[in-house]
Amino acid sequence: MKLLVLGGTTEASALARALAGDRRFTATLSLAGRTANPVPQPLDCRIGGFGGVEGLAHYLSEHGIDALIDATHPFAAQMTRHAALAAQFTGTKLLVVLRPEWRAEAGDRWVAVDGMVEAAGALGSTPRRVLLTVGRKDLAPFAAAPWHRYVIRSVDAPPGDALPPHAEIITARGPFTEADERQLLVERGIEVLVTKNSGGSATRAKLAAARRLGLQVIMVARPAPPAGVELVATAAEAMAWLELQHAATLLGA
Ligand code: NAP
């Protein structure tokens, strides 16, 4: 079976490792090309956008793709929407790998918000020291609240023109330990953490560190996946789904 895996996540990398060398599948991993040093992958890789729904639909047809696995980040909503539409137009099987959300635990001081503008608003009008771990693309609402002091952590540095004044930039890629997160929060005198509800284990330690320190967390809710798509939570479940599809192909179903 020919597969296209939309990646950029831990789950996509795990699926790529599971697929590498499995002769039942010929898989290509697709990356957006956002990070300067992507994690090396054991599969054939293509890098860069497809050119919208039409471009992706064309790719699926041209390469005879039997199944599209959307293992992009829970906040990569545009790519997920495009994947659903392109799969529908071309009649390609689609599976979305969506890791579970983080849930608040006893002792957490979370404020749930629906987007970045609401997150910046939830910081309030009194200056605070804020750790922003929302990625590089979504900084404009915080630049519009320049009375806070921001520490911004992202994999690659955000463009200078997107930054709030006096922001400190930390470039780092997870996984992070709770001890490291605690040290960061304490050393920088952080009062509040802003994060997307990305889920997963690689960046969860900051939540435990914030809980132990009694810090507020502004938690940005994730966008809902397109209606009607088939969802699994892990790379292992995606592999099981692929094995079923492969078996069905052999039976001529
Ligand atoms: P997005 O806003 O949903 O997508 C924007 C455009 O980027 C898409 O329309 C597509 O361009 C291109 N694109 C996205 N993912 C792609 C992929 N895997 N392969 C080829 N093209 C892709 O996506 P995003 O939030 O910028 O995320 C970009 C990448 O970073 C994704 O691979 C995602 O898994 C990863 N990532 C995102 C986040 C996050 O918080 N958003 C966090 C960690 C990792 P065309 O329309 O031209 O096809």
Side-chain angles (χ1 to χ4, degrees):
M1 274 181 82
K2 287 195 82 175
L3 312 177
L4 177 64
V5 180
L6 304 175
T9 57
T10 314
E11 288 75 16
S13 297
L15 185 57
R17 284 194 298 277
L19 287 168
D22 188 326
R23 296 168 69 135
R24 292 171 295 180
F25 304 106
T26 306
T28 299
L29 180 69
S30 175
L31 300 174
R34 296 279 190 279
T35 52
N37 295 302
V39 177
Q41 298 291 340
L43 284 184
D44 271 354
C45 244
R46 65 162 303 285
I47 296 188
F50 295 92
V53 178
E54 211 177 301
L56 178 57
H58 183 254
Y59 183 99
L60 295 173
S61 309
E62 194 186 19
H63 291 82
I65 300 296
D66 300 300
L68 174 61
I69 315 300
D70 173 8
T72 55
H73 191 269
F75 280 79
Q78 179 168 306
M79 189 69 252
T80 292
R81 202 170 51 249
H82 289 185
L85 289 169
Q88 198 183 341
F89 291 156
T90 55
T92 309
K93 291 187 173 71
L94 170 68
L95 182 69
V96 177
V97 185
L98 186 63
R99 64 175 83 132
E101 293 181 315
W102 291 318
R103 302 265 177 206
E105 296 179 16
D108 277 329
R109 293 180 53 216
W110 289 12
V111 176
V113 294
D114 281 334
M116 289 305 156
V117 172
E118 292 84 349
L123 291 173
S125 51
T126 305
R128 302 167 87 183
R129 289 192 65 86
V130 184
L131 176 61
L132 277 186
T133 61
V134 297
R136 290 178 296 158
K137 287 200 311 185
D138 296 308
L139 297 174
F142 302 98
W147 50 92
H148 302 296
R149 291 298 286 249
Y150 297 98
V151 176
I152 300 174
R153 182 173 69 193
S154 56
V155 174
D156 292 310
D161 57 357
L163 293 178
H166 315 298
E168 179 189 354
I169 310 300
I170 299 175
T171 54
R173 192 199 299 269
F176 304 104
T177 66
E178 187 181 333
D180 288 343
E181 297 294 53
R182 183 190 171 90
Q183 188 181 359
L184 171 69
L185 293 169
V186 171
E187 275 182 6
R188 302 303 202 283
I190 298 297
E191 296 164 289
V192 53
L193 164 70
V194 184
T195 178
K196 295 172 173 172
N197 194 335
S198 298
S201 58
T203 60
R204 186 170 47 200
K206 63 190 170 191
L207 302 177
R211 184 184 313 127
R212 294 251 153 78
L213 293 167
L215 302 185
Q216 193 181 58
V217 175
I218 299 188
M219 183 63 71
V220 182
R222 45 171 73 173
V229 294
E230 241 184 296
L231 294 169
V232 293
T234 63
E237 289 172 60
M239 201 59 205
W241 183 88
L242 284 168
E243 284 167 356
L244 272 181
Q245 303 304 318
H246 181 259
T249 312
L250 291 184
L251 293 171

